[in-house]
Amino acid sequence: MAERRRKPPKVQATWAEVTRLSGRAIAKYKERDTIIETMRQHRFLARPVEIPKEYEKTSVKFVSPIPFDSIQRVVAVLTSQPPIVQVPPRSESQADVENASKRSQWLNALFEGMDSQREGPPVEWLVADAQAADGLGILKLIYRPSRYSTKAGYPRRENFTASDETKIEQLYQRAVYDWKRTAQLPFEWRDVDALQYFAVYGHDGTRQIVLEKHEIDAEALQIEYPDVVRLDRSGNVRRADEGEPIMEDAAETGAGTTITLWEVWKPAEWSIWCEGTSESGAEGILLDGGKNPFNCLPYFEFPGLITSARAPERRT
């Protein structure tokens, strides 16, 4: 998701819309999800071996490690070299060629930097693994503008004094350059589980909306959004400004259960929701959202099987 905001989010989306979209998406992608889950069972030797009851005592169950080994070899080949990005120049002029070269260097350094500041295996390895094993790898770009904020230490121009404006500008630019060398990048990337990814297409085959499903512990939800939600005595999610505070023994009465969140991205905005409980019954709670900082959908698909079929289960 995009960076956590502290101001009340302003979005056009509604919980009713999210409910409709998620319901249709789950139905549309049901067969795709079944195929992926079956493939994972074969890969990790978890697929039940069906043997007629009358032959159970005399038959030997056999499961093969070939799917797992084959996928590991394919992923090893795909990730043997780091990805290289090249920006084509707009023209053959010297200026455009140099500009494209600088942009290529910057992007490759950005990818390397994003990997170095995250936990876990490199993202490109995880995406390649999903591409080979599930038939679909998903990469997501995340924007973290607060990392380049004055609160994070970004230099302020008014803090520099000199005899003239040119000197001030030089001092300021030098301070910015030095600070960026050690600061965290304002971008992150991560892989997205194909089972949690649902794209909504327009008439021309382009994605108009992307829904991403998250399942997190209720306690973690409250830690991340303490100003928006809380848990009641029964472990139900409620608005933070509604009812009694969370009880110390909430974990014993149902808290800690898994909560489903829906993250919705459109070209103009993004939002993230969860289902909560109020005095009038179930309701949707807008956890966060706002303007789309990318002006496009920040999800990138890497299919393992490319076909002309339109059904999701025929493209994995």
Side-chain angles (χ1 to χ4, degrees), residues 1-45:
M1 66 191 75
E3 184 173 69
R4 176 78 172 91
R5 293 159 54 95
R6 293 303 175 186
K7 296 180 180 179
K10 296 181 180 180
V11 297
Q12 298 294 321
T14 64
W15 175 243
E17 178 189 13
V18 174
T19 302
R20 291 195 304 270
L21 286 170
S22 60
R24 291 199 295 263
I26 290 174
K28 177 180 179 179
Y29 287 91
K30 182 178 179 180
E31 287 192 43
R32 178 205 68 174
D33 294 350
T34 299
I35 291 174
I36 292 176
E37 288 171 347
T38 301
M39 293 166 66
R40 291 180 180 180
Q41 288 179 335
H42 283 300
R43 180 186 184 186
F44 296 107
L45 307 182

Side-chain angles (χ1 to χ4, degrees), residues 241-257:
D241 56 358
E242 180 182 300
E244 79 283 353
I246 184 173
M247 305 298 290
E248 292 297 329
D249 60 349
E252 300 177 4
T253 58
T257 55

Side-chain angles (χ1 to χ4, degrees), residues 138-201:
I138 309 288
L139 187 148
K140 181 182 180 182
L141 187 63
I142 303 171
Y143 183 40
R144 305 288 190 192
S146 66
R147 293 178 177 176
Y148 268 29
S149 66
T150 54
K151 185 178 292 187
Y154 196 94
R156 301 171 66 96
R157 197 176 189 282
E158 56 265 31
N159 292 338
F160 296 87
T161 58
S163 57
D164 57 70
E165 286 296 320
T166 302
K167 185 63 174 177
I168 292 176
E169 182 65 21
Q170 290 175 348
L171 292 173
Y172 172 67
Q173 292 297 336
R174 181 64 193 182
V176 169
Y177 175 81
D178 291 339
W179 183 84
K180 286 183 177 180
R181 288 174 63 87
T182 57
Q184 282 190 304
L185 292 169
F187 298 101
E188 288 181 2
W189 61 357
R190 68 174 179 84
D191 66 306
V192 176
D193 187 343
L195 294 176
Q196 313 300 329
Y197 173 83
F198 307 90
V200 179
Y201 294 89

Side-chain angles (χ1 to χ4, degrees), residues 11-245:
V11 297
Q12 298 294 321
T14 64
W15 175 243
E17 178 189 13
V18 174
T19 302
R20 291 195 304 270
L21 286 170
S22 60
R24 291 199 295 263
I26 290 174
K28 177 180 179 179
Y29 287 91
K30 182 178 179 180
E31 287 192 43
R32 178 205 68 174
D33 294 350
T34 299
I35 291 174
I36 292 176
E37 288 171 347
T38 301
M39 293 166 66
R40 291 180 180 180
Q41 288 179 335
H42 283 300
R43 180 186 184 186
F44 296 107
L45 307 182
R47 183 71 175 172
V49 179
E50 297 182 2
I51 300 177
K53 190 173 182 179
E54 57 271 24
Y55 295 105
E56 286 182 349
K57 293 183 179 181
T58 59
S59 300
V60 178
K61 294 182 180 180
F62 173 78
V63 290
S64 172
I66 291 178
F68 185 93
D69 293 340
S70 298
I71 291 170
Q72 292 301 100
R73 291 191 182 95
V74 172
V75 175
V77 172
L78 293 175
T79 59
S80 59
Q81 296 293 332
I84 298 176
V85 179
Q86 290 186 328
V87 179
R90 293 189 300 177
S91 71
E92 296 181 358
S93 69
Q94 184 65 24
D96 283 344
V97 171
E98 291 179 357
N99 180 274
S101 177
K102 289 180 180 179
R103 290 174 181 270
S104 299
Q105 293 176 31
W106 184 86
L107 283 172
N108 284 294
L110 175 67
F111 292 166
E112 183 179 346
M114 287 193 296
D115 255 346
S116 66
Q117 66 184 22
R118 69 180 300 277
E119 297 180 0
V123 168
E124 59 268 26
W125 189 93
L126 296 172
V127 172
D129 182 82
Q131 182 182 22
D134 298 336
L136 180 63
I138 309 288
L139 187 148
K140 181 182 180 182
L141 187 63
I142 303 171
Y143 183 40
R144 305 288 190 192
S146 66
R147 293 178 177 176
Y148 268 29
S149 66
T150 54
K151 185 178 292 187
Y154 196 94
R156 301 171 66 96
R157 197 176 189 282
E158 56 265 31
N159 292 338
F160 296 87
T161 58
S163 57
D164 57 70
E165 286 296 320
T166 302
K167 185 63 174 177
I168 292 176
E169 182 65 21
Q170 290 175 348
L171 292 173
Y172 172 67
Q173 292 297 336
R174 181 64 193 182
V176 169
Y177 175 81
D178 291 339
W179 183 84
K180 286 183 177 180
R181 288 174 63 87
T182 57
Q184 282 190 304
L185 292 169
F187 298 101
E188 288 181 2
W189 61 357
R190 68 174 179 84
D191 66 306
V192 176
D193 187 343
L195 294 176
Q196 313 300 329
Y197 173 83
F198 307 90
V200 179
Y201 294 89
H203 67 89
D204 58 353
T206 59
R207 295 175 303 171
Q208 300 298 317
I209 305 172
V210 167
L211 291 88
E212 183 182 351
K213 184 180 179 182
H214 304 271
E215 294 181 342
I216 67 173
D217 191 278
E219 302 286 356
L221 176 67
Q222 184 176 248
I223 292 172
E224 190 165 358
Y225 299 97
D227 55 325
V228 183
V229 298
R230 66 172 182 81
L231 306 180
D232 64 16
R233 300 178 187 181
S234 299
N236 298 313
V237 178
R238 293 180 177 271
R239 296 184 185 277
D241 56 358
E242 180 182 300
E244 79 283 353

Side-chain angles (χ1 to χ4, degrees), residues 275-289:
E275 182 174 325
T277 303
S278 67
E279 299 302 327
S280 58
E283 66 167 351
I285 300 177
L286 176 59
L287 301 172
D288 205 357

